[in-house]
Amino acid sequence: MRIGIRIFLGYFVMIGLVAWFLLDTARERLQPALRQSMEDTLVDTANLLAEFARADLVAGTAGQGTFARNVASFSERRLNAEIWGVRKDRPNHRIYLTDAQGRVLYDSDQLAVGQDYSRWNDVYLTLRGRYGARTSRGDPDDPATSVMYVAAPVMHQGQRIGVVTVAKQSGSVQPFFDQALAGLTKAGVFVLVAGMLLGLLLSWWITRSLTRLEDYAHAVARGERVSLPELSGREVRVLGRALEGMRARLEGKQYVEHYVHSLTHELKSPLAGIRGAAELIEPSMPADDQARFLGNIRQQTERMTEIIDRLLALARLESRQTLDAVEPVEVADLCEEVCASKAIALAARQQTIVRHVPAGLQVQGERFLLGQALSNLLDNAMAFAPAGSQITLTASRQGGQLALSVRDQGSGVPDYAQARVFERFYSLPRPDGAPKSTGLGLPLVHEVAALHGGSISLVNHPQGGAVATLLLPG
């Protein structure tokens, strides 16, 4: 099944479930809400009638007095009302009046005059000063015959002298419930149709770019020279750019060619030196000349070995996806250990390292790799700093990150080299005329930073020299 169809079906099912849930919830809550509204109206009506019934109840004329005549006249009225499209012609209330003992004195439907209603909840609770209401079915098996009874006390001189109950069939609100439910159903169908159309549009919009990207991938697989099409959607554009980059690397083998070309170029110089020295050495030449040529061979061999070792170390580092042994690393101890390993080289160049590393700073990481990164930064600073100068090593917290900075007092990084200092095999001439490095030190630092989720930068300091800053999380 195509992804566009899957997206559409998933979206349609989701919209359908939401619409069904809302309709089902409305069906369950709408009818009780209508009955609650009806009960609220009955409470007002019962209390109003209780005031009208008081005079007749005190006079003992509840069954034939003004109250009874007015209720009878009310029952005969023609209402001629239309409520939100529902026709209402006649009142549909039943009203009865009891004395303080719960005996029915008046019943608008003439069903219970003289009967004892003191046990019915509407009368029983009201006579005891509580809210009296009940719902009873005319037919226990038919919920449509349910009738709601709401009572109010008839008060005289602070005493309850009787109860007025107003009864109304719960089914009288059924037309309003049916009307509201029909409206909700129409709205639900509209939402479902609109959701279906929106789902079609959404699936088309998503799959349009994916289809273009799929066609592009097939064309590349066939060996055709095609350009990356215009894609909509940030994620799809990112995917397209990634595929384009992968294509460039696979087709042109740029990565491998650059690697091999750079390695060949770097090994060519020491190999030429070794070959030249070997060709010049003769058994009859003076011992001093032999020693000088042999020293040159040894020096170039060591340089080749260093290039290969550093290249292998960098390749191993690039192949790793995660850190192997993460532990809390005490930064002060790490700096002291690395600086101690540079003591002989520093003495030879009459350089010193000034440390501003407070105790207690820790970072989570792989101690060996962090040591290698710091060592390479110091090597770089020592190589470009003048003899007899100071190198400053600083550690601090910067916005939740640990910053390790190494600053030298050299001439800084030339503008033309700013963007290339972290390239493999790229190396600048040393100020003292010493041979260039392998150009693999700073790339290794870059990989160590990335593996730890951090970053590395090398910029010129405003007061002279260059400063390398290694930022590490936490």
Side-chain angles (χ1 to χ4, degrees):
M1 184 182 296
R2 295 182 62 85
I3 186 172
I5 298 176
R6 291 200 298 268
I7 293 174
F8 169 73
L9 289 179
Y11 188 86
F12 182 77
V13 169
M14 181 182 68
I15 293 295
L17 288 175
V18 170
W20 174 83
F21 175 78
L22 291 177
L23 285 174
D24 189 65
T25 302
R27 185 183 296 107
E28 291 180 357
R29 296 188 178 184
L30 183 60
Q31 198 163 36
L34 289 173
R35 290 180 179 176
Q36 290 164 5
S37 177
M38 183 179 75
E39 183 175 353
D40 177 77
T41 303
L42 292 179
V43 168
D44 293 341
T45 304
N47 281 273
L48 179 63
L49 292 177
E51 295 298 322
F52 292 154
R54 179 171 53 227
D56 285 351
L57 198 58
V58 170
T61 58
Q64 64 277 359
T66 303
F67 175 79
R69 290 194 300 272
N70 288 339
V71 171
S73 298
F74 165 72
S75 299
E76 296 299 320
R77 288 183 69 91
R78 295 296 177 266
L79 304 181
N80 193 29
E82 187 170 341
I83 307 170
W84 292 91
V86 177
R87 188 73 181 175
K88 183 177 178 69
D89 292 320
R90 298 177 62 89
N92 52 2
H93 292 75
R94 177 191 174 194
I95 300 169
Y96 55 82
L97 175 66
T98 73
D99 58 18
Q101 287 73 44
R103 184 171 58 88
V104 177
L105 302 177
Y106 171 77
D107 185 349
S108 61
D109 288 354
Q110 302 298 321
L111 297 177
V113 175
Q115 295 184 20
D116 183 6
Y117 267 32
S118 62
R119 294 184 179 181
W120 291 108
N121 269 347
D122 57 315
V123 177
Y124 177 83
L125 293 175
T126 302
L127 288 175
R128 283 157 180 77
R130 295 158 64 185
Y131 172 59
R134 65 182 172 96
T135 300
S136 302
R137 290 184 181 181
D139 182 354
D141 298 325
D142 185 4
T145 62
S146 177
V147 179
M148 182 180 295
Y149 298 82
V150 176
V154 180
M155 305 296 295
H156 180 64
Q157 296 181 352
Q159 300 294 321
R160 284 178 287 277
I161 62 173
V163 174
V164 172
T165 294
V166 181
K168 186 180 182 69
Q169 283 192 348
S170 300
S172 62
V173 298
Q174 188 65 35
F176 302 100
F177 171 78
D178 294 337
Q179 186 183 62
L181 186 61
L184 286 173
T185 302
K186 290 179 181 178
V189 172
F190 174 79
V191 169
L192 197 61
V193 173
M196 181 178 65
L197 296 176
L198 185 61
L200 283 171
L201 181 62
L202 178 64
S203 61
W204 171 81
W205 181 74
I206 293 176
T207 56
R208 180 185 60 170
S209 291
L210 292 177
T211 302
R212 290 179 177 177
L213 199 57
E214 181 183 4
D215 295 337
Y216 167 75
H218 286 314
V220 171
R222 290 192 298 266
E224 300 176 7
R225 300 183 65 85
V226 291
S227 300
L228 184 68
E230 290 292 329
L231 302 172
S232 57
R234 178 180 176 277
E235 292 78 7
V236 179
R237 286 197 299 270
V238 170
L239 178 60
R241 287 194 295 267
L243 287 176
E244 177 73 2
M246 183 178 66
R247 172 203 176 187
R249 289 178 179 271
L250 290 176
E251 288 186 346
K253 299 181 176 62
Q254 294 177 357
Y255 181 80
V256 175
E257 289 180 359
H258 175 71
Y259 224 104
V260 172
H261 174 76
S262 300
L263 179 60
T264 304
H265 177 75
E266 291 298 319
L267 292 180
K268 187 183 298 183
S269 178
L271 283 173
I274 292 172
R275 184 175 61 183
E279 290 175 350
L280 292 174
I281 292 178
E282 295 180 357
S284 59
M285 71 170 34
D288 290 343
D289 290 339
Q290 286 187 359
R292 179 163 54 85
F293 287 130
L294 289 174
N296 184 59
I297 292 174
R298 182 168 53 252
Q299 181 184 6
Q300 297 301 328
T301 303
E302 290 174 353
R303 177 174 172 78
M304 291 175 59
T305 302
E306 183 183 7
I307 290 174
I308 293 172
D309 289 343
R310 284 179 174 263
L311 187 59
L312 289 175
L314 182 60
R316 284 194 297 268
L317 195 59
E318 289 176 336
S319 66
R320 291 174 56 176
Q321 300 298 320
T322 58
L323 296 171
D324 291 338
V326 179
E327 59 179 328
V329 178
E330 193 72 30
V331 178
D333 293 344
L334 180 68
C335 292
E336 181 178 0
E337 177 184 320
V338 175
C339 290
S341 68
K342 306 296 179 185
I344 297 176
L346 288 167
R349 298 182 57 85
Q350 299 179 351
Q351 295 172 335
T352 56
I353 297 178
V354 178
R355 282 180 283 166
H356 300 288
V357 183
L361 283 180
Q362 285 190 342
V363 64
Q364 294 288 330
E366 195 168 323
R367 184 184 183 89
F368 175 74
L369 293 181
L370 293 176
Q372 277 192 314
L374 181 57
S375 177
N376 286 355
L377 291 179
L378 289 175
D379 286 342
N380 191 69
M382 290 163 57
F384 288 94
S389 64
Q390 287 186 346
I391 296 170
T392 306
L393 173 58
T394 306
S396 63
R397 292 283 182 190
Q398 293 184 3
Q401 290 183 309
L402 175 73
L404 272 174
S405 298
V406 178
R407 180 193 169 192
D408 61 56
Q409 296 179 355
S411 58
V413 183
D415 292 340
Y416 66 84
Q418 289 280 353
R420 301 190 60 191
V421 290
F422 295 107
E423 288 184 12
R424 300 177 189 87
F425 302 112
Y426 186 78
S427 181
L428 292 170
R430 275 20 183 186
D432 57 2
K436 292 197 299 184
S437 70
T438 61
L440 296 172
L442 289 180
L444 186 140
V445 177
H446 183 273
E447 291 300 324
V448 171
L451 200 56
H452 282 79
S455 62
I456 178 68
S457 63
L458 178 62
V459 297
N460 291 327
H461 196 276
Q463 298 177 2
V467 56
T469 303
L470 176 62
L471 288 176
L472 298 170

